[in-house]
Amino acid sequence: MWSIKDKLSTRLMNVCVASLCKAKQLEKAEAVIVDGIIIGVQPDVVTYNTLIAAYCRFVGIDAGYSVLNRMKEAGINPNVITYNSLIAGATRYCLLSRCLDLFDEMLEMSILPDIWSYNTLMHCFFKLGKPDEAYRVFQDVLLKDISVHPATFNILINGLCMNGYTENALMLFRSLKRHGFIPQLVTYNILIHGLCKSRRGKAAREFLTELVESGHIPNAITYTTIMKCCFRCKQFEEGLKIFAEMRRKGYTYDAFAYCTVASMLLKTGRITEASEYLGYIITSGFSLDTVSFNTIVNLYCKEGQLDNAYKLLYEAEKEGLESDKYTHAILIDGLCRTGNFKEALQHLNSMSMIGFDSNLVAWNSFINGLCKAGHFDHALRMFESMDVKDSVTYSTIVHGLCKAGRFRAASKLLLSCIRGGMRILKSDKRFVVDGLRSSGLSQEARKVQSKIRLAKILHY
């Protein structure tokens, strides 16, 4: 038997392991366990469960499963939490067969699945577009008389919305309420998101009213979801009213909502108002993440304010916010829009000097800029000089050549893309084949179609 001191030491070790796992420092977490064993502090099931959950989340299911094997070798029996972490890891990567295998393994070890095991399996089926199978899992829960958690209903409602069955989700919601289910704010947010996804903005706003009347307080997610839906449905003034309500209630505590509004204003030609929002974001001292930062840089570039974009980049990097490959692709695109191809190329070449090993996104942006400006020969030369290309690179050049009426060259490039094992967009194939036909080259168009089919059979 362990003493109280030993148990306390194991608990302290577990706290330390959990903190390191949360910080994604898995090697250090492993080192803590090794050091603990050396001084006589033994890990327990909690220690290994913490490691398994972290490996499944940050590395992969195989890495998590290898910890399970080590756990068994150490003489520690896994429990339902162990397998729930593994099932969650498999679900994260939509590995349905792995989830089912883990269920079978649990049962073979006489470990009974709990509601979270079934919840995760349901979520996996929904993610894979199998709502009928997911609902059968729920029926299995009811048959086994397992106590249902509110999260179970949220997974059901979210899964139905995710798969396009928003009306069914609403019917289930109403039925559950009649049977005593007390919805949480997250339940309302799920349904509002489902309604917005199906472009039912009016119904989403009515649901917002019902949410408030039910005694819940909408949060930033609620408002932002409805606001974005209004903008997508071109109900700009309604969206701005929602944003104004967000501001009144103090939910605009980060830059995301402001970026969304500024983006809408810019797209609809309301440049002065967009600039005011951008200015507010900068002067209010919002802490920008990379996505919000890139949104603002993109807005500046589309507006032609390259100086402001570069000034923002300088200020952000001075504050410690690191730009990414998309930041530089946006800047290169902005330079191309203004016809500054020489500067765009200089910026492109400088990326390797500032630590970007891969700048394919930026190269694609530069080639796209050249094609849009009609500099097809220049774009081809850049294309041929590239060591690494992807389907976006090929697609950009194919579209550019078709735009220039050079359909034969486009067809050769298209076939080269397929033979290289890359997938092509249907629109690329259509542009090339239709272009050849419209140029009076019907026989050649048929040959290209045959070659495309043959290349797909050989390389897919």
Side-chain angles (χ1 to χ4, degrees):
M1 292 288 291
W2 287 358
S3 67
I4 293 173
K5 182 182 175 182
D6 289 331
K7 289 182 179 179
L8 182 61
S9 298
T10 300
R11 281 201 291 271
L12 287 172
M13 181 173 72
N14 288 344
V15 169
C16 187
V17 168
S19 299
L20 290 167
C21 285
K22 190 176 179 181
K24 301 182 186 179
Q25 296 183 24
L26 303 187
E27 287 184 9
K28 288 186 179 178
E30 294 269 19
V32 166
I33 295 169
V34 171
D35 289 345
I37 292 169
I38 290 170
I39 62 171
V41 178
Q42 295 300 315
D44 60 7
V45 67
V46 175
T47 320
Y48 283 104
N49 283 350
T50 305
L51 266 186
I52 286 169
Y55 273 109
C56 285
R57 185 176 179 187
F58 302 125
V59 183
I61 180 66
D62 290 332
Y65 199 82
S66 69
V67 178
L68 173 63
N69 290 329
R70 285 160 43 196
M71 179 180 184
K72 290 177 181 177
E73 287 169 6
I76 296 170
N77 294 323
N79 59 16
V80 68
I81 295 170
T82 316
Y83 278 94
N84 283 351
S85 294
L86 289 164
I87 293 165
T91 297
R92 190 171 287 112
Y93 299 98
C94 296
L95 302 172
L96 178 59
S97 60
R98 195 71 180 269
C99 284
L100 297 172
D101 288 343
L102 287 163
F103 253 80
D104 289 341
E105 192 174 313
M106 283 174 77
L107 295 171
E108 284 171 11
M109 296 185 67
S110 299
I111 299 171
L112 292 178
D114 63 9
I115 189 59
W116 296 106
S117 317
Y118 287 104
N119 283 351
T120 310
L121 185 59
M122 266 199 301
H123 182 53
C124 188
F125 275 121
F126 277 128
K127 279 182 77 173
L128 289 165
K130 298 175 183 289
D132 292 338
E133 289 86 341
Y135 196 74
R136 277 198 286 273
V137 173
F138 176 62
Q139 289 176 318
D140 199 26
V141 169
L142 298 179
L143 287 169
K144 285 182 166 57
D145 202 26
I146 296 169
S147 181
V148 177
H149 191 276
T152 312
F153 299 122
N154 289 336
I155 288 166
L156 272 172
I157 292 167
N158 183 56
L160 289 167
C161 290
M162 189 195 304
N163 285 275
Y165 297 102
T166 308
E167 197 58 44
N168 298 69
L170 281 168
M171 289 167 61
L172 175 62
F173 174 77
R174 300 295 181 208
S175 174
L176 288 170
K177 278 190 77 178
R178 284 195 299 272
H179 288 85
F181 171 63
I182 301 171
Q184 306 158 308
L185 175 60
V186 66
T187 318
Y188 282 102
N189 281 348
I190 287 166
L191 279 164
I192 286 169
H193 182 266
L195 290 165
C196 289
K197 189 180 174 185
S198 56
R199 293 185 175 273
R200 294 172 61 182
K202 185 181 177 183
R205 289 195 297 277
E206 288 170 357
F207 222 74
L208 173 62
T209 304
E210 183 180 326
L211 183 158
V212 174
E213 289 172 353
S214 298
H216 293 286
I217 301 171
N219 61 10
I221 295 169
T222 321
Y223 283 114
T224 306
T225 303
I226 297 176
M227 180 182 72
K228 287 172 75 176
C229 176
C230 290
F231 291 158
R232 277 198 302 272
C233 296
K234 301 190 185 303
Q235 297 170 346
F236 303 120
E237 295 309 315
E238 279 295 327
L240 288 172
K241 282 180 187 175
I242 294 291
F243 180 65
E245 190 174 336
M246 283 178 72
R247 292 182 73 177
R248 277 199 311 273
K249 296 193 174 180
Y251 287 124
T252 50
Y253 44 75
D254 61 20
F256 180 75
Y258 284 94
C259 286
T260 304
V261 173
S263 181
M264 178 280 295
L265 292 169
L266 194 63
K267 284 175 184 174
T268 53
R270 297 161 70 169
I271 295 171
T272 304
E273 290 174 83
S275 297
E276 287 173 5
Y277 278 105
L278 290 177
Y280 184 78
I281 292 168
I282 304 303
T283 57
S284 295
F286 280 123
S287 178
L288 294 177
D289 60 10
T290 306
V291 174
S292 298
F293 172 69
N294 285 347
T295 302
I296 299 172
V297 171
N298 191 37
L299 291 171
Y300 274 137
C301 288
K302 283 184 176 177
E303 203 176 329
Q305 297 184 22
L306 270 298
D307 289 342
N308 282 338
Y310 274 101
K311 183 181 176 183
L312 180 63
L313 176 64
Y314 172 75
E315 292 295 331
E317 289 185 338
K318 197 167 70 174
E319 292 296 320
L321 180 68
E322 292 185 9
S323 57
D324 62 9
K325 58 186 178 182
Y326 297 104
T327 315
H328 294 277
I330 290 164
L331 288 165
I332 287 165
D333 180 65
L335 289 165
C336 290
R337 282 171 183 269
T338 57
N340 294 326
F341 294 103
K342 185 178 178 181
E343 286 183 45
L345 184 58
Q346 287 173 348
H347 189 121
L348 187 62
N349 290 328
S350 70
M351 284 184 69
S352 57
M353 296 171 61
I354 56 177
F356 285 93
D357 296 329
S358 172
N359 55 357
L360 183 57
V361 174
W363 274 93
N364 287 343
S365 185
F366 183 56
I367 286 174
N368 184 52
L370 289 169
C371 288
K372 280 183 177 176
H375 301 313
F376 302 113
D377 289 327
H378 189 180
L380 271 172
R381 286 196 299 273
M382 296 303 296
F383 173 82
E384 287 163 4
S385 71
M386 292 173 67
D387 295 325
V388 180
K389 305 176 182 74
D390 63 5
S391 56
V392 176
T393 324
Y394 280 94
S395 184
T396 304
I397 291 289
V398 166
H399 276 252
L401 290 170
C402 288
K403 187 179 175 183
R406 294 160 67 172
F407 299 109
R408 279 180 171 153
S411 67
K412 287 179 182 176
L413 203 62
L414 191 69
L415 289 167
S416 173
C417 176
I418 300 169
R419 287 167 186 153
M422 295 180 189
R423 294 191 175 274
I424 60 165
L425 296 171
K426 287 183 180 178
S427 58
D428 294 344
K429 183 179 76 172
R430 189 172 63 250
F431 283 140
V432 172
V433 173
D434 290 352
L436 288 168
R437 283 178 183 149
S438 65
S439 303
L441 302 167
S442 297
Q443 189 175 351
E444 197 160 333
R446 284 194 294 274
K447 284 181 181 177
V448 168
Q449 278 187 307
S450 297
K451 287 178 180 178
I452 287 171
R453 280 195 291 270
L454 179 62
K456 285 174 76 173
I457 290 167
L458 293 173
H459 295 279
Y460 284 5

